Amino acid sequence: DVKVTQSSRYLVKRTGEKVFLECVQDMDHENMFWYRQDPGLGLRLIYFSYDVKMKEKGDIPEGYSVSREKKERFSLILESASTNQTSMYLCASRDGQGLTEAFFGQGTRLTVV
Amino acid sequence: AQSVTQPDIHITVSEGASLELRCNYSYGATPYLFWYVQSPGQGLQLLLKYFSGDTLVQGIKGFEAEFKRSQSSFNLRKPSVHWSDAAEYFCAVGARDTGRRALTFGSGTRLQVQP
């Protein structure tokens, strides 16, 4: 089974802190994604990566950055956390050129106080 | 750009009743289409997918969906709902030819099941 693992289920951080959300996949997928999920808005794409050290902005990249130093690992970074970044964050991976579904981690619920 | 609309934010059905969740997409060519389910506090699990071929697609947990090109729809159905089906359901579209590798999701439909 494909497994996408996010390092934390719940996080509470203070405003202004630098926050790292980690994601690891075990299926050698080329593509990895970070989504943000908010009630009534569905999933919105923050960033994605199609190869090691390669990244592209998604639909809502402001306030976030990412890092992909190894193929299996994709990190989301909140440079200076703000209360409006309180949300559920979902990591996903997908193989090749898009002829497959995306596989999701269990999500990280981040609260910024 | 592709987009997905799920017009029903919240649906309540009785256990044993039939279910249909609506999904409309906007995309210039034949899309890849998906339905995912999310139980409370969990990630998303794939229910079914459509890539090509037969427009009626069978998925897990007794769900099916029908691709209707003329209506730009991909509605999810289940003939008899179980209490364990209470969850949030997301429709998603994937592009075949734009190079966008990420799926685009609808806003979701929350299903409540009454005993």
Side-chain angles (χ1 to χ4, degrees), chain B residues 58-85:
Chain B
Q58 302 297 319
I60 62 171
K61 305 185 182 189
F63 285 92
E64 67 178 26
E66 186 171 12
F67 170 58
K68 292 186 177 180
R69 184 192 304 274
S70 61
Q71 298 176 20
S72 298
S73 69
F74 189 56
N75 294 349
L76 182 71
R77 300 193 294 248
K78 186 169 185 179
S80 178
V81 169
H82 188 262
W83 64 265
S84 61
D85 293 324

mmCIF file of all heavy atoms in Angstrom, chain B residues 58-85:
data_model
loop_
_atom_site.group_PDB
_atom_site.id
_atom_site.type_symbol
_atom_site.label_atom_id
_atom_site.label_comp_id
_atom_site.label_asym_id
_atom_site.label_seq_id
_atom_site.Cartn_x
_atom_site.Cartn_y
_atom_site.Cartn_z
ATOM 1 N N GLN B 58 -17.450 1.923 -10.952
ATOM 2 C CA GLN B 58 -17.707 1.328 -9.640
ATOM 3 C C GLN B 58 -16.524 1.612 -8.705
ATOM 4 O O GLN B 58 -15.361 1.602 -9.137
ATOM 5 C CB GLN B 58 -17.893 -0.176 -9.772
ATOM 6 C CG GLN B 58 -19.024 -0.582 -10.706
ATOM 7 C CD GLN B 58 -20.379 -0.115 -10.208
ATOM 8 O OE1 GLN B 58 -20.680 -0.169 -9.023
ATOM 9 N NE2 GLN B 58 -21.216 0.353 -11.130
ATOM 10 N N GLY B 59 -16.847 1.855 -7.439
ATOM 11 C CA GLY B 59 -15.789 2.123 -6.485
ATOM 12 C C GLY B 59 -15.893 1.246 -5.257
ATOM 13 O O GLY B 59 -16.612 0.251 -5.253
ATOM 14 N N ILE B 60 -15.189 1.661 -4.231
ATOM 15 C CA ILE B 60 -15.219 0.899 -2.987
ATOM 16 C C ILE B 60 -16.456 1.269 -2.170
ATOM 17 O O ILE B 60 -17.125 2.273 -2.454
ATOM 18 C CB ILE B 60 -13.943 1.155 -2.159
ATOM 19 C CG1 ILE B 60 -13.836 2.630 -1.751
ATOM 20 C CG2 ILE B 60 -12.710 0.716 -2.935
ATOM 21 C CD1 ILE B 60 -12.726 2.914 -0.756
ATOM 22 N N LYS B 61 -16.764 0.460 -1.192
ATOM 23 C CA LYS B 61 -17.855 0.704 -0.239
ATOM 24 C C LYS B 61 -19.225 0.810 -0.905
ATOM 25 O O LYS B 61 -20.136 1.433 -0.352
ATOM 26 C CB LYS B 61 -17.588 1.979 0.586
ATOM 27 C CG LYS B 61 -16.255 1.980 1.308
ATOM 28 C CD LYS B 61 -16.117 3.203 2.199
ATOM 29 C CE LYS B 61 -14.755 3.210 2.882
ATOM 30 N NZ LYS B 61 -14.644 4.240 3.915
ATOM 31 N N GLY B 62 -19.381 0.241 -2.096
ATOM 32 C CA GLY B 62 -20.670 0.227 -2.767
ATOM 33 C C GLY B 62 -21.024 1.493 -3.523
ATOM 34 O O GLY B 62 -22.166 1.664 -3.967
ATOM 35 N N PHE B 63 -20.076 2.386 -3.678
ATOM 36 C CA PHE B 63 -20.323 3.628 -4.410
ATOM 37 C C PHE B 63 -20.109 3.438 -5.907
ATOM 38 O O PHE B 63 -19.310 2.612 -6.340
ATOM 39 C CB PHE B 63 -19.398 4.737 -3.910
ATOM 40 C CG PHE B 63 -19.807 5.303 -2.576
ATOM 41 C CD1 PHE B 63 -19.279 4.779 -1.396
ATOM 42 C CD2 PHE B 63 -20.714 6.343 -2.494
ATOM 43 C CE1 PHE B 63 -19.658 5.283 -0.168
ATOM 44 C CE2 PHE B 63 -21.091 6.859 -1.257
ATOM 45 C CZ PHE B 63 -20.560 6.324 -0.094
ATOM 46 N N GLU B 64 -20.820 4.249 -6.694
ATOM 47 C CA GLU B 64 -20.603 4.331 -8.125
ATOM 48 C C GLU B 64 -20.762 5.780 -8.560
ATOM 49 O O GLU B 64 -21.334 6.606 -7.839
ATOM 50 C CB GLU B 64 -21.588 3.444 -8.901
ATOM 51 C CG GLU B 64 -23.033 3.890 -8.812
ATOM 52 C CD GLU B 64 -23.962 3.018 -9.634
ATOM 53 O OE1 GLU B 64 -23.649 1.833 -9.884
ATOM 54 O OE2 GLU B 64 -25.026 3.537 -10.035
ATOM 55 N N ALA B 65 -20.251 6.082 -9.728
ATOM 56 C CA ALA B 65 -20.382 7.438 -10.276
ATOM 57 C C ALA B 65 -20.533 7.329 -11.779
ATOM 58 O O ALA B 65 -20.004 6.410 -12.409
ATOM 59 C CB ALA B 65 -19.186 8.300 -9.917
ATOM 60 N N GLU B 66 -21.221 8.294 -12.351
ATOM 61 C CA GLU B 66 -21.457 8.290 -13.795
ATOM 62 C C GLU B 66 -20.930 9.582 -14.403
ATOM 63 O O GLU B 66 -21.294 10.685 -13.981
ATOM 64 C CB GLU B 66 -22.935 8.140 -14.114
ATOM 65 C CG GLU B 66 -23.203 7.990 -15.613
ATOM 66 C CD GLU B 66 -24.633 7.625 -15.909
ATOM 67 O OE1 GLU B 66 -25.490 7.708 -15.002
ATOM 68 O OE2 GLU B 66 -24.902 7.260 -17.072
ATOM 69 N N PHE B 67 -20.084 9.450 -15.393
ATOM 70 C CA PHE B 67 -19.540 10.580 -16.142
ATOM 71 C C PHE B 67 -20.513 10.921 -17.263
ATOM 72 O O PHE B 67 -20.816 10.077 -18.113
ATOM 73 C CB PHE B 67 -18.166 10.220 -16.704
ATOM 74 C CG PHE B 67 -17.612 11.222 -17.678
ATOM 75 C CD1 PHE B 67 -17.423 12.539 -17.315
ATOM 76 C CD2 PHE B 67 -17.263 10.829 -18.973
ATOM 77 C CE1 PHE B 67 -16.905 13.467 -18.204
ATOM 78 C CE2 PHE B 67 -16.744 11.745 -19.869
ATOM 79 C CZ PHE B 67 -16.561 13.066 -19.496
ATOM 80 N N LYS B 68 -20.986 12.162 -17.267
ATOM 81 C CA LYS B 68 -21.870 12.637 -18.334
ATOM 82 C C LYS B 68 -21.210 13.853 -18.973
ATOM 83 O O LYS B 68 -21.278 14.975 -18.438
ATOM 84 C CB LYS B 68 -23.250 12.979 -17.778
ATOM 85 C CG LYS B 68 -24.039 11.769 -17.292
ATOM 86 C CD LYS B 68 -25.453 12.154 -16.897
ATOM 87 C CE LYS B 68 -26.255 10.924 -16.489
ATOM 88 N NZ LYS B 68 -27.650 11.257 -16.103
ATOM 89 N N ARG B 69 -20.642 13.623 -20.136
ATOM 90 C CA ARG B 69 -19.906 14.684 -20.810
ATOM 91 C C ARG B 69 -20.825 15.848 -21.165
ATOM 92 O O ARG B 69 -20.453 17.011 -21.003
ATOM 93 C CB ARG B 69 -19.251 14.139 -22.075
ATOM 94 C CG ARG B 69 -18.381 15.136 -22.818
ATOM 95 C CD ARG B 69 -18.007 14.594 -24.200
ATOM 96 N NE ARG B 69 -17.360 13.294 -24.101
ATOM 97 C CZ ARG B 69 -16.067 13.128 -23.909
ATOM 98 N NH1 ARG B 69 -15.275 14.177 -23.802
ATOM 99 N NH2 ARG B 69 -15.557 11.919 -23.841
ATOM 100 N N SER B 70 -22.041 15.532 -21.627
ATOM 101 C CA SER B 70 -22.956 16.581 -22.088
ATOM 102 C C SER B 70 -23.365 17.521 -20.955
ATOM 103 O O SER B 70 -23.714 18.676 -21.187
ATOM 104 C CB SER B 70 -24.202 15.954 -22.713
ATOM 105 O OG SER B 70 -24.883 15.167 -21.743
ATOM 106 N N GLN B 71 -23.324 17.004 -19.723
ATOM 107 C CA GLN B 71 -23.709 17.812 -18.569
ATOM 108 C C GLN B 71 -22.508 18.248 -17.744
ATOM 109 O O GLN B 71 -22.685 18.901 -16.705
ATOM 110 C CB GLN B 71 -24.686 17.018 -17.689
ATOM 111 C CG GLN B 71 -25.980 16.664 -18.401
ATOM 112 C CD GLN B 71 -26.894 15.796 -17.536
ATOM 113 O OE1 GLN B 71 -26.764 15.738 -16.325
ATOM 114 N NE2 GLN B 71 -27.832 15.112 -18.188
ATOM 115 N N SER B 72 -21.324 17.864 -18.157
ATOM 116 C CA SER B 72 -20.101 18.152 -17.385
ATOM 117 C C SER B 72 -20.290 17.741 -15.925
ATOM 118 O O SER B 72 -19.963 18.486 -14.990
ATOM 119 C CB SER B 72 -19.729 19.636 -17.463
ATOM 120 O OG SER B 72 -19.458 20.009 -18.792
ATOM 121 N N SER B 73 -20.805 16.531 -15.754
ATOM 122 C CA SER B 73 -21.093 16.087 -14.393
ATOM 123 C C SER B 73 -20.460 14.740 -14.109
ATOM 124 O O SER B 73 -20.158 13.952 -15.019
ATOM 125 C CB SER B 73 -22.603 16.005 -14.165
ATOM 126 O OG SER B 73 -23.170 14.945 -14.925
ATOM 127 N N PHE B 74 -20.275 14.491 -12.830
ATOM 128 C CA PHE B 74 -19.703 13.221 -12.354
ATOM 129 C C PHE B 74 -20.315 12.976 -10.993
ATOM 130 O O PHE B 74 -19.666 13.073 -9.960
ATOM 131 C CB PHE B 74 -18.182 13.320 -12.291
ATOM 132 C CG PHE B 74 -17.473 12.003 -12.024
ATOM 133 C CD1 PHE B 74 -17.672 10.896 -12.838
ATOM 134 C CD2 PHE B 74 -16.574 11.888 -10.976
ATOM 135 C CE1 PHE B 74 -17.012 9.703 -12.610
ATOM 136 C CE2 PHE B 74 -15.902 10.699 -10.729
ATOM 137 C CZ PHE B 74 -16.123 9.607 -11.549
ATOM 138 N N ASN B 75 -21.591 12.612 -10.969
ATOM 139 C CA ASN B 75 -22.337 12.463 -9.718
ATOM 140 C C ASN B 75 -22.054 11.123 -9.053
ATOM 141 O O ASN B 75 -21.962 10.089 -9.724
ATOM 142 C CB ASN B 75 -23.819 12.626 -9.961
ATOM 143 C CG ASN B 75 -24.187 14.032 -10.390
ATOM 144 O OD1 ASN B 75 -23.361 14.954 -10.314
ATOM 145 N ND2 ASN B 75 -25.412 14.194 -10.857
ATOM 146 N N LEU B 76 -21.963 11.158 -7.750
ATOM 147 C CA LEU B 76 -21.689 9.962 -6.942
ATOM 148 C C LEU B 76 -23.001 9.408 -6.414
ATOM 149 O O LEU B 76 -23.858 10.180 -5.929
ATOM 150 C CB LEU B 76 -20.763 10.342 -5.778
ATOM 151 C CG LEU B 76 -20.334 9.216 -4.847
ATOM 152 C CD1 LEU B 76 -19.344 8.277 -5.549
ATOM 153 C CD2 LEU B 76 -19.689 9.791 -3.579
ATOM 154 N N ARG B 77 -23.147 8.078 -6.451
ATOM 155 C CA ARG B 77 -24.406 7.462 -6.008
ATOM 156 C C ARG B 77 -24.118 6.246 -5.132
ATOM 157 O O ARG B 77 -23.071 5.579 -5.251
ATOM 158 C CB ARG B 77 -25.250 7.030 -7.208
ATOM 159 C CG ARG B 77 -25.626 8.159 -8.139
ATOM 160 C CD ARG B 77 -26.699 7.727 -9.097
ATOM 161 N NE ARG B 77 -26.235 6.698 -10.018
ATOM 162 C CZ ARG B 77 -26.081 6.892 -11.333
ATOM 163 N NH1 ARG B 77 -26.311 8.085 -11.840
ATOM 164 N NH2 ARG B 77 -25.697 5.914 -12.111
ATOM 165 N N LYS B 78 -25.093 5.990 -4.265
ATOM 166 C CA LYS B 78 -25.070 4.749 -3.493
ATOM 167 C C LYS B 78 -26.518 4.356 -3.258
ATOM 168 O O LYS B 78 -27.327 5.178 -2.834
ATOM 169 C CB LYS B 78 -24.334 4.929 -2.170
ATOM 170 C CG LYS B 78 -24.159 3.610 -1.406
ATOM 171 C CD LYS B 78 -23.208 3.727 -0.241
ATOM 172 C CE LYS B 78 -22.989 2.362 0.404
ATOM 173 N NZ LYS B 78 -22.037 2.397 1.537
ATOM 174 N N PRO B 79 -26.888 3.104 -3.529
ATOM 175 C CA PRO B 79 -28.301 2.714 -3.445
ATOM 176 C C PRO B 79 -28.845 2.654 -2.016
ATOM 177 O O PRO B 79 -30.021 2.898 -1.798
ATOM 178 C CB PRO B 79 -28.326 1.325 -4.097
ATOM 179 C CG PRO B 79 -26.921 0.853 -4.098
ATOM 180 C CD PRO B 79 -26.046 2.047 -4.098
ATOM 181 N N SER B 80 -27.990 2.352 -1.038
ATOM 182 C CA SER B 80 -28.467 2.219 0.332
ATOM 183 C C SER B 80 -27.361 2.685 1.281
ATOM 184 O O SER B 80 -26.320 2.037 1.400
ATOM 185 C CB SER B 80 -28.843 0.764 0.622
ATOM 186 O OG SER B 80 -29.261 0.614 1.973
ATOM 187 N N VAL B 81 -27.608 3.783 1.958
ATOM 188 C CA VAL B 81 -26.577 4.403 2.785
ATOM 189 C C VAL B 81 -26.501 3.748 4.157
ATOM 190 O O VAL B 81 -27.521 3.411 4.757
ATOM 191 C CB VAL B 81 -26.868 5.918 2.930
ATOM 192 C CG1 VAL B 81 -25.973 6.543 3.984
ATOM 193 C CG2 VAL B 81 -26.669 6.620 1.596
ATOM 194 N N HIS B 82 -25.291 3.589 4.639
ATOM 195 C CA HIS B 82 -25.040 3.036 5.972
ATOM 196 C C HIS B 82 -24.567 4.159 6.887
ATOM 197 O O HIS B 82 -23.992 5.149 6.424
ATOM 198 C CB HIS B 82 -23.964 1.933 5.845
ATOM 199 C CG HIS B 82 -23.726 1.157 7.079
ATOM 200 N ND1 HIS B 82 -22.688 1.431 7.951
ATOM 201 C CD2 HIS B 82 -24.395 0.101 7.627
ATOM 202 C CE1 HIS B 82 -22.711 0.593 8.963
ATOM 203 N NE2 HIS B 82 -23.736 -0.234 8.789
ATOM 204 N N TRP B 83 -24.773 3.998 8.197
ATOM 205 C CA TRP B 83 -24.378 5.057 9.144
ATOM 206 C C TRP B 83 -22.892 5.367 9.007
ATOM 207 O O TRP B 83 -22.468 6.514 9.205
ATOM 208 C CB TRP B 83 -24.713 4.660 10.583
ATOM 209 C CG TRP B 83 -23.970 3.467 11.087
ATOM 210 C CD1 TRP B 83 -24.386 2.184 11.080
ATOM 211 C CD2 TRP B 83 -22.645 3.442 11.645
ATOM 212 N NE1 TRP B 83 -23.425 1.359 11.587
ATOM 213 C CE2 TRP B 83 -22.340 2.099 11.939
ATOM 214 C CE3 TRP B 83 -21.689 4.426 11.929
ATOM 215 C CZ2 TRP B 83 -21.126 1.713 12.519
ATOM 216 C CZ3 TRP B 83 -20.483 4.045 12.503
ATOM 217 C CH2 TRP B 83 -20.219 2.712 12.785
ATOM 218 N N SER B 84 -22.088 4.374 8.650
ATOM 219 C CA SER B 84 -20.644 4.595 8.541
ATOM 220 C C SER B 84 -20.259 5.439 7.326
ATOM 221 O O SER B 84 -19.093 5.821 7.174
ATOM 222 C CB SER B 84 -19.911 3.253 8.473
ATOM 223 O OG SER B 84 -20.329 2.517 7.338
ATOM 224 N N ASP B 85 -21.225 5.746 6.455
ATOM 225 C CA ASP B 85 -20.936 6.597 5.295
ATOM 226 C C ASP B 85 -20.913 8.078 5.660
ATOM 227 O O ASP B 85 -20.560 8.916 4.818
ATOM 228 C CB ASP B 85 -21.974 6.363 4.193
ATOM 229 C CG ASP B 85 -21.883 4.968 3.598
ATOM 230 O OD1 ASP B 85 -20.758 4.446 3.477
ATOM 231 O OD2 ASP B 85 -22.945 4.402 3.250
#
